[in-house]
Amino acid sequence: MDDDLEIGRFAALTRQRRGERKPETFAFLGFIHYCGVTRGGRFIVKHKTEGKRLTRKLKALREGTWRHMHMALATQHKWLAAVLRGHYGYYGRPHTQQATPPGLSAIPAPRQVNLT
């Protein structure tokens, strides 16, 4: 039974009866899947961005902003908005908002600065 993954509606209850800890989690397609409960008390499989993937993405984002540092602000904004749209298109699922890094939930449009 050690090789079987126990996840589902009654996993927490059966594990509690046996004196074991919370139901197991598993990583698949960049997410960690785990058992949860909705506000109404119903079972749900929740998803959290895998830590290694998030760290790798933030590192690539930092390197990309460094490469685009001397480009026009509008070009930087266009690139960054496209990168974040792609990231949130894949990872932005229900029940993953808690894993969103603070300050990256929305990228505002670039400001026009007059230097005259």
Side-chain angles (χ1 to χ4, degrees):
M1 180 113 187
D2 290 336
D3 295 348
D4 295 337
L5 181 67
E6 191 173 18
I7 193 165
R9 283 178 55 186
F10 303 111
L13 187 59
T14 56
R15 290 178 70 84
Q16 184 180 19
R17 284 182 188 158
R18 290 194 309 253
E20 296 176 0
R21 301 181 80 175
K22 292 182 178 181
E24 300 169 80
T25 63
F26 65 97
F28 183 65
L29 295 176
F31 293 100
I32 294 179
H33 303 272
Y34 61 99
C35 295
V37 179
T38 64
R39 292 182 197 164
R42 299 189 68 174
F43 170 78
I44 187 171
V45 176
K46 292 189 175 186
H47 318 279
K48 187 167 80 169
T49 306
E50 200 173 359
K52 292 186 290 187
R53 297 276 180 115
L54 184 60
T55 301
R56 188 177 347 153
K57 187 63 178 179
L58 289 174
K59 183 179 178 184
L61 191 62
R62 185 173 54 247
E63 291 170 357
T65 53
W66 186 259
R67 280 195 312 274
H68 289 81
M69 180 172 46
H70 295 295
M71 295 182 178
L73 188 59
T75 307
Q76 290 179 33
H77 178 266
K78 187 175 180 181
W79 171 80
L80 186 57
V83 168
L84 290 177
R85 262 194 316 273
H87 180 76
Y88 293 140
Y90 186 78
Y91 289 102
R93 300 177 46 129
H95 310 291
T96 59
Q97 290 85 8
Q98 296 87 354
T100 304
L104 289 181
S105 59
I107 299 296
R111 296 184 314 168
Q112 296 295 325
V113 179
N114 294 328
L115 299 176
T116 57

